[in-house]
Amino acid sequence: MNASVEAPRKIRTEAELQALPEDGFIHELVDGEIVMSPKNVFFHSDICSELAAALRSFAKLNHLGAVLESNAGFRMSNSNIRAPDVSFISRARLEAKGFKRSTRRFFPGAPDLAVEVLSLRNTRKEINERLQDFFSGGTRAAWIIDPGEKRVEICHSLAERQWVGEDRSLNGEDLLPGFSYPISDLFKPWDWE
């Protein structure tokens, strides 16, 4: 009788993740494995760019903190390295962690605001796992944007979540006081269409 023995799974490290070549894909470290996200479609990327630009402009004008796109990694409390589609880190947290614009390491913790734009590949389980990492790592709010249904799930914890439609606006609450972005603007055609 032959008994097959599985080789032990190699646990990947943060150093291995950082050493990956720039290949145009988003890589994360999840439960000791390097996970690669496939390229996103045009609409997904355009939504991310539009929202990131609005958030960044507002945060910069008001000296509130940094807004980053999906190539920024965040080291979660469980050692996962996550890369939200768009993120905001408050100035207070950046200063407390000694982070400057020129810092060349992953941020230790989750962003204050994590934004994810759903694709056809995303599952509810995957999104819940990401939210679990974000909230346990310090996220205070998350926006899950659903382009297919033209709505956004506003999350303040895994349990406190609410879907809102195009007739509402994304509100910066106490993270970005005064920031407001109409949800319908996330999905509208370009001015020249």
Side-chain angles (χ1 to χ4, degrees):
M1 179 185 271
N2 261 345
S4 65
V5 177
E6 280 189 36
R9 180 174 70 99
K10 181 172 176 18
I11 303 297
R12 302 294 180 171
T13 66
E14 184 176 323
E16 288 176 293
L17 179 64
Q18 286 182 314
L20 290 174
E22 289 295 329
D23 62 3
F25 291 92
I26 303 300
H27 297 87
E28 295 181 319
L29 184 64
V30 180
D31 299 329
E33 292 184 26
I34 293 177
V35 178
M36 180 177 71
S37 296
K39 286 294 205 188
N40 288 309
V41 297
F42 191 89
F43 191 38
H44 179 284
S45 296
D46 194 57
I47 290 170
C48 292
S49 295
E50 285 289 328
L51 185 56
L55 285 165
R56 185 176 181 92
S57 176
F58 185 86
K60 200 171 185 179
L61 178 68
N62 294 287
H63 308 285
L64 296 174
V67 174
L68 305 169
E69 292 190 36
S70 62
N71 54 355
F74 294 84
R75 188 181 328 102
M76 303 291 117
S77 57
N78 60 4
S79 297
N80 286 346
I81 307 289
R82 294 288 192 177
D85 287 324
V86 178
S87 55
F88 166 75
I89 310 102
S90 70
R91 179 177 163 190
R93 283 185 71 210
L94 290 166
E95 289 174 346
K97 302 281 186 185
F99 263 65
K100 299 186 181 315
R101 187 170 187 224
S102 59
T103 300
R104 296 182 182 268
R105 65 182 194 273
F106 296 124
F107 187 81
D112 292 284
L113 171 66
V115 180
E116 295 286 354
V117 178
L118 297 179
S119 71
L120 296 176
R121 298 176 298 278
N122 292 124
T123 64
R124 184 43 99 178
K125 179 181 184 287
E126 174 195 354
I127 293 301
N128 287 341
E129 288 169 356
R130 295 179 76 75
L131 287 172
Q132 174 66 45
D133 280 357
F134 294 152
F135 285 116
S136 64
T139 291
R140 294 171 44 204
W143 299 339
I144 309 300
I145 299 170
D146 183 348
E149 298 293 325
K150 296 184 177 181
R151 62 186 185 162
V152 177
E153 186 177 25
I154 306 211
C155 311
H156 292 99
S157 70
L158 280 175
E160 188 182 345
R161 299 160 73 164
Q162 177 185 19
W163 285 104
V164 294
E166 287 187 275
D167 58 331
R168 301 275 301 278
S169 291
L170 295 171
N171 181 315
E173 302 173 19
D174 63 334
L175 293 173
L176 295 135
F179 178 81
S180 182
Y181 192 93
I183 291 173
S184 60
D185 285 2
L186 293 170
F187 313 115
K188 72 180 182 182
W190 289 318
D191 293 342
W192 65 83
E193 287 186 280

